C-alpha cells in the first residue's frame, strides 16, 4: 500500500535499525506502523472538535449551542483520550516487546483481528454519538448513569475494549516466549515498563467491561435500575485506569527516546524498576480521586485510595522525575558533552523534534499535570477543583502536554526510522514542539485559573456571560477566557502543523536510506565507549532542577490550602 | 554502559545508587508522608471536609421528607426559612427543589442533598467572592447530610456543575445568608 509498509528486510525478515541498533522484524514493524497511523487519524478527527469545543467555551465566539456542543465534546473526548491514545499504546507495546527484544510478532492474526475489532468499536462509538436522540443524551467521556446513552455507545465501548485486549495478546505472548527461551535473563527496562503498562491495562479493561456491561444491561432493560454511585465506582476503574496506562506508556517512551536521541543512560536499574513496581501495586488506587466529593464512599476509603496507599505511586513518579533527567545528564557528561551545571542540557539536540517533544513532555507533565493532580487528589482540596474547568486544565496538562506531546515525539521518531521518510519541512518540524507545547501550556493554565479563581464549571456552553433565568453570571472570568481562547487557537494551529508534517512526510517525504538517519544519533554514537560506571557521574544539574520542582510543588500546595482555609465551615 | 533497550549487565541490583539520587529518594519519602499526614490531620482539625453521613433513599422517600420540611418552613419573599437547622435540597432537571432558602450566618445547618432524577453537581459560591467556591456531587438514591456554617452574610449562588441534559446551564438558584441574630 503506497509503499508504506516496505523496508529492506533480509531473507529472514529482519533488518538492523541504524539508529537504535535493534534487530527489527517485518511483522513487528508493520503493526507498529498500522497502529500508529490509525492513532494519528483519530488525532486528526478528534482534533477538529478541539476547535469547536474551545470556541464554544470562549463565549465571545460562542460557536455551538448546547445540543451540538455535547455531541462535539463527546467526540473530542473519545477520539482523543481513548482512540488516539490507545491505538498509540498498542504500538508502544509492540515496540517495547518484540521490537526491543529483537523478535518476530507472534500471533500475527490476533494483532490483525485486534486492530479490526478496535476500529469497529471506535466507529460504533462515533456513530452512536452522532446519532444520539432523546431520551438518550450525549455520553461525554463518562456516560454517567442514570442519564441514558445510546445502547450502541455502550456496545461500541465494549467492542473497543475487547479489541484492545486481543491486540495486547501478541505482546504478552512475546514476553512468554522470551522468558521460556531465556529463563534467567532480565528484560530491558523498556520491555519491563511495557509489561507493567500491559498489566495495568488489563485491570482497567476488566473494570471497563463490567462498568459498560452494567450500564448496557440497564439500558436495554435486562435489569430494572442502576445505582449511580456503583456505576461511578466501576466506571472510574477504566476511566482512570486508562489514564494510568497513558502515564506509564509515556514514561516508557521517555526512557526510550531520551536514550536513543539524547544519549541518556539508566542511572540505577534498581531504583527505576522499583518505581514501576510501585506503579503496578498502587497506581490503580488513584481512581478514587474521582470520588472524593461523592456521598457514597467512606472517608477512610477515600483517603487511603486517593493517596495511592500513602502516596506510593506519587513517590514512584518522583523517582522517574529524577532518574530520567539524571540519565540524560550522566550519559552526556560521560560523552564529554557540556560541563558546568547545565551544559549537558544546553548542548542537547534541541532542534530535533523527537528530543524537544520528549523534554517538554517531561517538564510540562511534571510541573503542570503532576503537581495539580496531587493537589486536586487531596480529599479536601478536591472540593474546590471538582467539576470546574480547573479539572479540565489539570488533565490537559497530563494527557495533552504530557502524553500527547510525548507521542508526537514518538511519531516523529517512527516517521524517520520506520517509515524511513525525511520530514517534508525539517524547519517546521523543529519548531512545532515549541509552538504546540508553548501555546497549550498557556491555554491549560488559563483553564486552571478560571476554574479555581472563578469557579467556572466544566461541560457547559455558557455561564460566564449569561446564566439563563438570572442576572448573576461569572463575567469576572471573561478576561482570562480571552487569553484562553487565543492560545487555544494557537495550540490548535500547532496541532494542525503536527498533522501536516506527520501525514505529509509519511506520504510525500523523501525516502531515506539507512545511513541518512545518522543525525538522530547522539554525538559520540548511541553507545559511547569506555567511561566510568554511570552512577559515578555528577547529577548536580538534575538535583537542582528537582529541587526547583519540589519548591514549586510546596508553594502551590500551600497556596491551595490557604484558599481552602478561607472558606466557610463545611463537613463533619 | 547502561541502556533501557538492553538487558542490564551483571549484578544490577547491587549497583551503587548515586548520592544525590539517594537524597532525592529521601526527600520524596518525606514529602509523600507530609501529603498524607496533612490530609489526614485536616479531617480531624480542619474546618473544610467533604464529609457527612450518607443514607440510601428512594426518590419518593426524599420527596416526602422534602414535603414535610417545606410545610414546616416559613415561606417568605426571599425564599424558604427552615424551621430548624435542617436544610433539604434536591436536584431535578433543571432546578433545585428547596431553593431559594434563607439562612443565618453563624448557625450550623445540616444540608440534606439528593437528586430526584440524574446526577447533579452542587456548586456554591458567595456573589461577592467567586474564588470561594465548593463543589459536591449529588446522586439520585443517596441523601448526603453535610453540615455548613456560613460566616459571612450575602447571596450565595448554586450552579449545577454535573452535566444533566441540554438545559444544564440554566440550573441555578440561591441561598440568602442574613446577619447573625
Ligand atoms: C489544542 C488542543 C485542545 C484544546 C484547545 C482542548 C480544549 C478542551 C476544552 C475547552 C474542554 C472542556 C470543555 C468543557 O468541559 O466544557 C476539553 C475537554 C476535554 N478534552 Fe480537550 N482540548 C485539546 C486537546 C485534547 C487532547 C489531545 C485530548 C486527549 C488526549 C483531550 C481530551 C479532553 C477530554 C477527555 C475532555 C473532557 C470531556 C468530558 O468532559 O467528557 N483534549 N478540551
Ligand atoms: Cu446539571
Amino acid at each position: 500500500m503506497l509503499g508504506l509498509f516496505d523496508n529492506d528486510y533480509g531473507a529472514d525478515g529482519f533488518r538492523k535499525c541504524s539508529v537504535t541498533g535493534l534487530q527489527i522484524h517485518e511483522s513487528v514493524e508493520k503493526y507498529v506502523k498500522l497502529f500508529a497511523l490509525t492513532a494519528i487519524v483519530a488525532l486528526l478527527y478528534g482534533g477538529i472538535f478541539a476547535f469547536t469545543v474551545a470556541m464554544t467555551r470562549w463565549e465571545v465566539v460562542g460557536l455551538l449551542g448546547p445540543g451540538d456542543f455535547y455531541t462535539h465534546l463527546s467526540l473530542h473526548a473519545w477520539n482523543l483520550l481513548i482512540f488516539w491514545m490507545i491505538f498509540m499504546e498498542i504500538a508502544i507495546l509492540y515496540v517495547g516487546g518484540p521490537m526491543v527484544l529483537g523478535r518476530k510478532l507472534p500471533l500475527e492474526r490476533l494483532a490483525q483481528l485486534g486492530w479490526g475489532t478496535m476500529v469497529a468499536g471506535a466507529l460504533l462509538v462515533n456513530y452512536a454519538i452522532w446519532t444520539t436522540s432523546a431520551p438518550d443524551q450525549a455520553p461525554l467521556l463518562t456516560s454517567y448513569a442514570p442519564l441514558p446513552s445510546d445502547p450502541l455507545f455502550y456496545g461500541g465501548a465494549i467492542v473497543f475494549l475487547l479489541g484492545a485486549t486481543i491486540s495486547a495478546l501478541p505482546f504478552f505472548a512475546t514476553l512468554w516466549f522470551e522468558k521460556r527461551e531465556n529463563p534467567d535473563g532480565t528484560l530491558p527496562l523498556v520491555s519491563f515498563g511495557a509489561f507493567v503498562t500491559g498489566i495495568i491495562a488489563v485491570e482497567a479493561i476488566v473494570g471497563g467491561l463490567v462498568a459498560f456491561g452494567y450500564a448496557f444491561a440497564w439500558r436495554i432493560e435486562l435489569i430494572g435500575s442502576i445505582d449511580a454511585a456503583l456505576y461511578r465506582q466501576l466506571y472510574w476503574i477504566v476511566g482512570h485506569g486508562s489514564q494510568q496506562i497513558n502515564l506509564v506508556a509515556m514514561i516508557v517512551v521517555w526512557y526510550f527516546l531520551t536514550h536513543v536521541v539524547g544519549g541518556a543512560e539508566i542511572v540505577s536499574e534498581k531504583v527505576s524498576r522499583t518505581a514501576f513496581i510501585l506503579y503496578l501495586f498502587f497506581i490503580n488506587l488513584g481512581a478514587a480521586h474521582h470520588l472524593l466529593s461523592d456521598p457514597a464512599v467512606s472517608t477512610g476509603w477515600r483517603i487511603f485510595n486517593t493517596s495511592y496507599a500513602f502516596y506510593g505511586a506519587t513517590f514512584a513518579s518522583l523517582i522517574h522525575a529524577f532518574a530520567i533527567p539524571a540519565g540524560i545528564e550522566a550519559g552526556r557528561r560521560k560523552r564529554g558533552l557540556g560541563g558546568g551545571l547545565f551544559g549537558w542540557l544546553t548542548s542537547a539536540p534541541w532542534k530535533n523534534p523527537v528530543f524537544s517533544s520528549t523534554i517538554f513532555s517531561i517538564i510540562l507533565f511534571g510541573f503542570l499535570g503532576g503537581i495539580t493532580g496531587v493537589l486536586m487528589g487531596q480529599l479536601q482540596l478536591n472540593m474546590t477543583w471538582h467539576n470546574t474547568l480547573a479539572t479540565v486544565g489539570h488533565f490537559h496538562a497530563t494527557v495533552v502536554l504530557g502524553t500527547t506531546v510525548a507521542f508526537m515525539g514518538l511519531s516523529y521518531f517512527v516517521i524517520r526510522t520506520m517509515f524511513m521518510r525525511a520530514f517534508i519541512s525539517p524547519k517546521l518540524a523543529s519548531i512545532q514542539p515549541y509552538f504546540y507545547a508553548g501555546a497549550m501550556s498557556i491555554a491549560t493554565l488559563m483553564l486552571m485559573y478560571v476554574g479555581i479563581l472563578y469557579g467556572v464549571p466544566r461541560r457547559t456552553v455558557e455561564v460566564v456571560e449569561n446564566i439563563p433565568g438570572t442576572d448573576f453570571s461569572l463575567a469576572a472570568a471573561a478576561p482570562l477566557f480571552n487569553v484562553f481562547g487565543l492560545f487555544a487557537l494557537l495550540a490548535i494551529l500547532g496541532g494542525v502543523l503536527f498533522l501536516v508534517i506527520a501525514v505529509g512526510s509519511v506520504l510525500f517525504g523523501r525516502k531515506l536510506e539507512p545511513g541518512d538517519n545518522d543525525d538522530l544519533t547522539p554525538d559520540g554514537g548511541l553507545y559511547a565507549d569506555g567511561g566510568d560506571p554511570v552512577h559515578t557521574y555528577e547529577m548536580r544539574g538534575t538535583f537542582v532542577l528537582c529541587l526547583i520542582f519540589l519548591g514549586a510543588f510546596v508553594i502551590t500546595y500551600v497556596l491551595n490550602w490557604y484558599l481552602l482555609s478561607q472558606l466557610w465551615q463545611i463537613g463533619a | 554502559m547502561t541502556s533501557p533497550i538492553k538487558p542490564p549487565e551483571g549484578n544490577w541490583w547491587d549497583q551503587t545508587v548515586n548520592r544525590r539520587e539517594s537524597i532525592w529518594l529521601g526527600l520524596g519519602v518525606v514529602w509523600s508522608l507530609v501529603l498524607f499526614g496533612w490530609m489526614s490531620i485536616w479531617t480531624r482539625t480542619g474546618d473544610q471536609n467533604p464529609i457527612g453521613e450518607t443514607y440510601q433513599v428512594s426518590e419518593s422517600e426524599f420527596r416526602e421528607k422534602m414535603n414535610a420540611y417545606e410545610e414546616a418552613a416559613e415561606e417568605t419573599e426571599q425564599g424558604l426559612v427552615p424551621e430548624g437547622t435542617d436544610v433539604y435540597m434536591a436536584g431535578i432537571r433543571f432546578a433545585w427543589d428547596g431553593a431559594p432558602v434563607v439562612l443565618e450566618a453563624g448557625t450550623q445547618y445540616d444540608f440534606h442533598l439528593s437528586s430526584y432524577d440524574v446526577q447533579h453537581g452542587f456548586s456554591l459560591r458567595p456573589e461577592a467572592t467567586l474564588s470561594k467556591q465548593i463543589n459536591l456531587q449529588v446522586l439520585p438514591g443517596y441523601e448526603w447530610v453535610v453540615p455548613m456554617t456560613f460566616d459571612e452574610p450575602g447571596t450565595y449562588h448554586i450552579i449545577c456543575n454535573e452535566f444533566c441534559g441540554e438545559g444544564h446551564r440554566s440550573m441555578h438558584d440561591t441561598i440568602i445568608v442574613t446577619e447573625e441574630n
Side-chain angles (χ1 to χ4, degrees), chain A residues 145 190 227 232 265-266 293 295 302 318 378 380 383 386-387 453 455 462 527 535 567 569-572, chain B residues 1-2 4 18 20 24 35 39 47-51 54 119 125 131 133 135 137 142 147 149 161-162 169:
Chain A
V190 161
D227 183 291
R232 286 171 69 83
E265 298 207 12
I266 306 301
S293 300
R302 283 182 281 170
L318 291 174
Q378 293 239 295
Q380 300 87 348
M383 281 191 295
H386 183 63
N387 277 353
L453 300 179
E462 50 182 7
Y527 297 110
H535 67 264
L567 291 178
Q569 178 267 329
I570 300 154
Chain B
M1 185 229 54
T2 55
N18 179 287
R20 286 206 171 80
W24 177 252
L35 292 173
M39 173 168 69
D47 263 348
Q48 295 83 15
N49 286 291
I51 297 176
T54 302
Q119 303 191 22
R125 78 274 288 135
S131 65
Q133 39 100 23
N135 305 278
Q137 193 76 22
Y142 293 86
T149 317
N161 72 355
E162 185 59 80
R169 70 195 191 288

Side-chain angles (χ1 to χ4, degrees), chain B residues 120 160 162-164 168 171:
Chain B
H120 295 286
C160 176
E162 185 59 80
F163 171 59
C164 54
H168 167 56
M171 193 166 157

